[in-house]
Amino acid sequence: LTLGIILACTRLSHWVEMPDFAPAQNGPPVKWKQKLPDLVSSAPAIGKNGLIYVTTRTGPVYALDRSGAIQWAYRPDYSPSSSALMLDRDGNLYFSMVAKIFSLTPDGQKRWEADCPGNVFRMSEHGALGDGVIYSTCDENFSAFSTADGQELWRVPISNFDDKATVLKNGALVLNKGWTLSAFDSGGNSLWTFPPPDYIAPPPRKGLISDAPFFDYPAAVGKDETLYLGSGDSELSAFTPDGTLKWTYDVGFTGPMDSTRFASSPVITGMKR
């Protein structure tokens, strides 16, 4: 009977057209929409020139003006699946593709492209842009490239997908590596790791055999360089810039199958007291 229902619904889906529900207009009216020829794969990045940049799954990078009109499109002669974009202070763009990293000028001209051995998994949201340095995952390494010419400056070995990076004001790079945090200076030298060898973990919460935090997303950085991270086990933690745990707040863990999981980086407001 169940199989018959599934087959019937499958056949029904071939000729039943679902209605196009309009979203509720609870906020400001939409000023414009632009449908691109390719599936958008990134959050938009907005340049100082007012242009809105997006990457797409099939490769091209598009620039739109404030009215939504396409100003230019850059199509790399390489494999698809580009990452989201990052912009430096001069408005230059950076994005990665499989085994390649690119930089464009604000008007869509290629500045350079760099080889990245293996696979570039993700950049942008899970990569980082420092002062004159672009960071990206390359195969089983986390690499630093010069923003001037794309030359690889240094690399550190990591596990796959350990590319959640945050750059501090002093140029230090903090990497989320699953159950650990690691910091490196601008030359790739190790600064600190959490938990340190002498760390004494608190007793596991009720019902847990192991209660180690797992950091899925980049840290949010406060004005005093405090690092705020949400863990996969429903805890919000704060760390000093030198890797010392300041505090941890449990937002409501009730068991392995019923807990709050942080699905993004924390957001720090600019609210004045």
mmCIF file of all heavy atoms in Angstrom, residues 74-101:
data_model
loop_
_atom_site.group_PDB
_atom_site.id
_atom_site.type_symbol
_atom_site.label_atom_id
_atom_site.label_comp_id
_atom_site.label_asym_id
_atom_site.label_seq_id
_atom_site.Cartn_x
_atom_site.Cartn_y
_atom_site.Cartn_z
ATOM 1 N N TYR A 74 32.733 37.978 -15.567
ATOM 2 C CA TYR A 74 34.042 37.372 -15.820
ATOM 3 C C TYR A 74 33.862 35.857 -15.833
ATOM 4 O O TYR A 74 33.347 35.272 -14.869
ATOM 5 C CB TYR A 74 35.043 37.776 -14.739
ATOM 6 C CG TYR A 74 36.377 37.087 -14.911
ATOM 7 C CD1 TYR A 74 37.293 37.551 -15.845
ATOM 8 C CD2 TYR A 74 36.706 35.956 -14.160
ATOM 9 C CE1 TYR A 74 38.513 36.916 -16.030
ATOM 10 C CE2 TYR A 74 37.921 35.315 -14.337
ATOM 11 C CZ TYR A 74 38.818 35.790 -15.267
ATOM 12 O OH TYR A 74 40.022 35.155 -15.451
ATOM 13 N N ARG A 75 34.305 35.221 -16.932
ATOM 14 C CA ARG A 75 34.156 33.783 -17.101
ATOM 15 C C ARG A 75 35.530 33.125 -17.155
ATOM 16 O O ARG A 75 36.210 33.193 -18.181
ATOM 17 C CB ARG A 75 33.354 33.473 -18.369
ATOM 18 C CG ARG A 75 31.907 33.946 -18.307
ATOM 19 C CD ARG A 75 31.184 33.733 -19.629
ATOM 20 N NE ARG A 75 29.765 34.016 -19.506
ATOM 21 C CZ ARG A 75 29.236 35.222 -19.554
ATOM 22 N NH1 ARG A 75 30.033 36.278 -19.739
ATOM 23 N NH2 ARG A 75 27.933 35.397 -19.419
ATOM 24 N N PRO A 76 35.947 32.485 -16.070
ATOM 25 C CA PRO A 76 37.264 31.834 -16.069
ATOM 26 C C PRO A 76 37.301 30.652 -17.032
ATOM 27 O O PRO A 76 36.301 29.955 -17.226
ATOM 28 C CB PRO A 76 37.425 31.352 -14.615
ATOM 29 C CG PRO A 76 36.379 32.098 -13.844
ATOM 30 C CD PRO A 76 35.264 32.371 -14.786
ATOM 31 N N ASP A 77 38.461 30.429 -17.649
ATOM 32 C CA ASP A 77 38.651 29.281 -18.524
ATOM 33 C C ASP A 77 39.093 28.087 -17.675
ATOM 34 O O ASP A 77 40.185 27.548 -17.832
ATOM 35 C CB ASP A 77 39.705 29.584 -19.592
ATOM 36 C CG ASP A 77 39.257 30.686 -20.531
ATOM 37 O OD1 ASP A 77 38.039 30.772 -20.791
ATOM 38 O OD2 ASP A 77 40.120 31.451 -20.981
ATOM 39 N N TYR A 78 38.213 27.717 -16.753
ATOM 40 C CA TYR A 78 38.574 26.618 -15.860
ATOM 41 C C TYR A 78 37.310 25.959 -15.351
ATOM 42 O O TYR A 78 36.202 26.311 -15.742
ATOM 43 C CB TYR A 78 39.443 27.137 -14.697
ATOM 44 C CG TYR A 78 40.305 26.070 -14.079
ATOM 45 C CD1 TYR A 78 41.349 25.500 -14.793
ATOM 46 C CD2 TYR A 78 40.047 25.613 -12.795
ATOM 47 C CE1 TYR A 78 42.130 24.515 -14.240
ATOM 48 C CE2 TYR A 78 40.835 24.625 -12.230
ATOM 49 C CZ TYR A 78 41.881 24.085 -12.961
ATOM 50 O OH TYR A 78 42.640 23.101 -12.406
ATOM 51 N N SER A 79 37.478 25.014 -14.434
ATOM 52 C CA SER A 79 36.347 24.231 -13.941
ATOM 53 C C SER A 79 35.398 25.095 -13.115
ATOM 54 O O SER A 79 35.783 26.123 -12.573
ATOM 55 C CB SER A 79 36.851 23.064 -13.101
ATOM 56 O OG SER A 79 37.669 23.531 -12.050
ATOM 57 N N PRO A 80 34.124 24.674 -13.003
ATOM 58 C CA PRO A 80 33.120 25.467 -12.289
ATOM 59 C C PRO A 80 33.208 25.329 -10.779
ATOM 60 O O PRO A 80 34.221 24.923 -10.231
ATOM 61 C CB PRO A 80 31.804 24.895 -12.823
ATOM 62 C CG PRO A 80 32.147 23.487 -13.153
ATOM 63 C CD PRO A 80 33.559 23.497 -13.636
ATOM 64 N N SER A 81 32.107 25.664 -10.120
ATOM 65 C CA SER A 81 31.970 25.595 -8.656
ATOM 66 C C SER A 81 32.867 26.604 -7.961
ATOM 67 O O SER A 81 33.758 26.267 -7.187
ATOM 68 C CB SER A 81 32.275 24.183 -8.139
ATOM 69 O OG SER A 81 31.398 23.250 -8.687
ATOM 70 N N SER A 82 32.650 27.857 -8.265
ATOM 71 C CA SER A 82 33.436 28.908 -7.625
ATOM 72 C C SER A 82 32.900 29.214 -6.239
ATOM 73 O O SER A 82 31.742 28.966 -5.936
ATOM 74 C CB SER A 82 33.415 30.181 -8.480
ATOM 75 O OG SER A 82 32.088 30.606 -8.681
ATOM 76 N N SER A 83 33.763 29.771 -5.410
ATOM 77 C CA SER A 83 33.377 30.113 -4.048
ATOM 78 C C SER A 83 32.791 31.511 -4.007
ATOM 79 O O SER A 83 32.705 32.200 -5.024
ATOM 80 C CB SER A 83 34.606 30.060 -3.137
ATOM 81 O OG SER A 83 35.404 31.207 -3.366
ATOM 82 N N ALA A 84 32.433 31.934 -2.807
ATOM 83 C CA ALA A 84 31.993 33.313 -2.624
ATOM 84 C C ALA A 84 33.192 34.252 -2.720
ATOM 85 O O ALA A 84 34.338 33.832 -2.774
ATOM 86 C CB ALA A 84 31.296 33.469 -1.279
ATOM 87 N N LEU A 85 32.894 35.533 -2.730
ATOM 88 C CA LEU A 85 33.922 36.547 -2.980
ATOM 89 C C LEU A 85 34.406 37.219 -1.707
ATOM 90 O O LEU A 85 33.686 37.296 -0.718
ATOM 91 C CB LEU A 85 33.349 37.631 -3.900
ATOM 92 C CG LEU A 85 33.077 37.237 -5.343
ATOM 93 C CD1 LEU A 85 32.145 38.252 -5.971
ATOM 94 C CD2 LEU A 85 34.368 37.171 -6.121
ATOM 95 N N MET A 86 35.630 37.718 -1.785
ATOM 96 C CA MET A 86 36.149 38.617 -0.760
ATOM 97 C C MET A 86 36.730 39.837 -1.451
ATOM 98 O O MET A 86 37.229 39.747 -2.577
ATOM 99 C CB MET A 86 37.217 37.913 0.080
ATOM 100 C CG MET A 86 36.656 36.919 1.066
ATOM 101 S SD MET A 86 37.931 36.175 2.130
ATOM 102 C CE MET A 86 38.623 34.974 1.018
ATOM 103 N N LEU A 87 36.652 40.986 -0.788
ATOM 104 C CA LEU A 87 37.143 42.248 -1.335
ATOM 105 C C LEU A 87 38.202 42.829 -0.409
ATOM 106 O O LEU A 87 38.043 42.810 0.812
ATOM 107 C CB LEU A 87 36.001 43.255 -1.477
ATOM 108 C CG LEU A 87 34.795 42.849 -2.334
ATOM 109 C CD1 LEU A 87 33.728 43.931 -2.279
ATOM 110 C CD2 LEU A 87 35.222 42.596 -3.767
ATOM 111 N N ASP A 88 39.292 43.373 -0.993
ATOM 112 C CA ASP A 88 40.278 44.059 -0.168
ATOM 113 C C ASP A 88 39.963 45.556 -0.124
ATOM 114 O O ASP A 88 38.961 46.017 -0.679
ATOM 115 C CB ASP A 88 41.708 43.775 -0.652
ATOM 116 C CG ASP A 88 41.973 44.305 -2.063
ATOM 117 O OD1 ASP A 88 41.208 45.179 -2.543
ATOM 118 O OD2 ASP A 88 42.952 43.852 -2.695
ATOM 119 N N ARG A 89 40.826 46.316 0.514
ATOM 120 C CA ARG A 89 40.561 47.754 0.700
ATOM 121 C C ARG A 89 40.576 48.529 -0.608
ATOM 122 O O ARG A 89 40.013 49.622 -0.700
ATOM 123 C CB ARG A 89 41.588 48.331 1.675
ATOM 124 C CG ARG A 89 41.343 47.941 3.116
ATOM 125 C CD ARG A 89 42.426 48.433 4.041
ATOM 126 N NE ARG A 89 43.680 47.723 3.816
ATOM 127 C CZ ARG A 89 44.763 47.844 4.589
ATOM 128 N NH1 ARG A 89 44.738 48.668 5.618
ATOM 129 N NH2 ARG A 89 45.860 47.163 4.325
ATOM 130 N N ASP A 90 41.249 47.979 -1.630
ATOM 131 C CA ASP A 90 41.291 48.643 -2.934
ATOM 132 C C ASP A 90 40.157 48.195 -3.847
ATOM 133 O O ASP A 90 40.081 48.629 -5.002
ATOM 134 C CB ASP A 90 42.634 48.360 -3.614
ATOM 135 C CG ASP A 90 43.804 48.945 -2.838
ATOM 136 O OD1 ASP A 90 43.638 50.035 -2.255
ATOM 137 O OD2 ASP A 90 44.870 48.297 -2.803
ATOM 138 N N GLY A 91 39.286 47.315 -3.347
ATOM 139 C CA GLY A 91 38.162 46.859 -4.142
ATOM 140 C C GLY A 91 38.457 45.666 -5.022
ATOM 141 O O GLY A 91 37.602 45.238 -5.797
ATOM 142 N N ASN A 92 39.681 45.100 -4.937
ATOM 143 C CA ASN A 92 40.005 43.915 -5.721
ATOM 144 C C ASN A 92 39.243 42.705 -5.183
ATOM 145 O O ASN A 92 39.011 42.589 -3.978
ATOM 146 C CB ASN A 92 41.510 43.644 -5.675
ATOM 147 C CG ASN A 92 42.315 44.752 -6.311
ATOM 148 O OD1 ASN A 92 42.008 45.203 -7.415
ATOM 149 N ND2 ASN A 92 43.335 45.217 -5.609
ATOM 150 N N LEU A 93 38.887 41.803 -6.087
ATOM 151 C CA LEU A 93 38.075 40.640 -5.732
ATOM 152 C C LEU A 93 38.948 39.388 -5.679
ATOM 153 O O LEU A 93 39.910 39.258 -6.443
ATOM 154 C CB LEU A 93 36.957 40.417 -6.754
ATOM 155 C CG LEU A 93 35.825 41.443 -6.827
ATOM 156 C CD1 LEU A 93 36.260 42.671 -7.605
ATOM 157 C CD2 LEU A 93 34.612 40.836 -7.499
ATOM 158 N N TYR A 94 38.554 38.440 -4.809
ATOM 159 C CA TYR A 94 39.245 37.156 -4.683
ATOM 160 C C TYR A 94 38.199 36.055 -4.574
ATOM 161 O O TYR A 94 37.214 36.197 -3.851
ATOM 162 C CB TYR A 94 40.150 37.144 -3.445
ATOM 163 C CG TYR A 94 41.158 38.267 -3.429
ATOM 164 C CD1 TYR A 94 40.827 39.504 -2.857
ATOM 165 C CD2 TYR A 94 42.412 38.115 -4.000
ATOM 166 C CE1 TYR A 94 41.735 40.553 -2.862
ATOM 167 C CE2 TYR A 94 43.330 39.162 -4.007
ATOM 168 C CZ TYR A 94 42.987 40.374 -3.433
ATOM 169 O OH TYR A 94 43.879 41.412 -3.441
ATOM 170 N N PHE A 95 38.431 34.959 -5.308
ATOM 171 C CA PHE A 95 37.551 33.812 -5.203
ATOM 172 C C PHE A 95 38.327 32.568 -5.648
ATOM 173 O O PHE A 95 39.361 32.660 -6.310
ATOM 174 C CB PHE A 95 36.282 33.980 -6.055
ATOM 175 C CG PHE A 95 36.524 34.037 -7.536
ATOM 176 C CD1 PHE A 95 36.331 32.918 -8.337
ATOM 177 C CD2 PHE A 95 36.944 35.221 -8.141
ATOM 178 C CE1 PHE A 95 36.547 32.972 -9.703
ATOM 179 C CE2 PHE A 95 37.166 35.278 -9.503
ATOM 180 C CZ PHE A 95 36.963 34.152 -10.289
ATOM 181 N N SER A 96 37.830 31.399 -5.261
ATOM 182 C CA SER A 96 38.515 30.154 -5.591
ATOM 183 C C SER A 96 37.624 29.260 -6.420
ATOM 184 O O SER A 96 36.391 29.342 -6.380
ATOM 185 C CB SER A 96 38.931 29.424 -4.313
ATOM 186 O OG SER A 96 37.784 28.998 -3.609
ATOM 187 N N MET A 97 38.275 28.389 -7.182
ATOM 188 C CA MET A 97 37.606 27.331 -7.915
ATOM 189 C C MET A 97 38.373 26.051 -7.619
ATOM 190 O O MET A 97 39.309 26.059 -6.820
ATOM 191 C CB MET A 97 37.582 27.656 -9.406
ATOM 192 C CG MET A 97 36.956 29.007 -9.714
ATOM 193 S SD MET A 97 36.866 29.391 -11.464
ATOM 194 C CE MET A 97 35.541 28.312 -11.955
ATOM 195 N N VAL A 98 37.992 24.953 -8.257
ATOM 196 C CA VAL A 98 38.710 23.713 -8.012
ATOM 197 C C VAL A 98 40.150 23.858 -8.500
ATOM 198 O O VAL A 98 40.396 24.064 -9.684
ATOM 199 C CB VAL A 98 38.025 22.534 -8.719
ATOM 200 C CG1 VAL A 98 38.822 21.259 -8.532
ATOM 201 C CG2 VAL A 98 36.617 22.361 -8.177
ATOM 202 N N ALA A 99 41.097 23.805 -7.554
ATOM 203 C CA ALA A 99 42.538 23.855 -7.831
ATOM 204 C C ALA A 99 43.023 25.205 -8.357
ATOM 205 O O ALA A 99 44.139 25.307 -8.857
ATOM 206 C CB ALA A 99 42.949 22.740 -8.786
ATOM 207 N N LYS A 100 42.225 26.264 -8.247
ATOM 208 C CA LYS A 100 42.637 27.586 -8.702
ATOM 209 C C LYS A 100 42.133 28.660 -7.743
ATOM 210 O O LYS A 100 41.067 28.528 -7.137
ATOM 211 C CB LYS A 100 42.085 27.892 -10.101
ATOM 212 C CG LYS A 100 42.733 27.118 -11.233
ATOM 213 C CD LYS A 100 44.080 27.701 -11.625
ATOM 214 C CE LYS A 100 44.629 27.009 -12.853
ATOM 215 N NZ LYS A 100 45.916 27.569 -13.291
ATOM 216 N N ILE A 101 42.885 29.746 -7.628
ATOM 217 C CA ILE A 101 42.451 30.944 -6.917
ATOM 218 C C ILE A 101 42.641 32.125 -7.854
ATOM 219 O O ILE A 101 43.666 32.224 -8.540
ATOM 220 C CB ILE A 101 43.240 31.153 -5.621
ATOM 221 C CG1 ILE A 101 42.974 29.998 -4.658
ATOM 222 C CG2 ILE A 101 42.877 32.472 -4.951
ATOM 223 C CD1 ILE A 101 43.764 30.094 -3.375
#
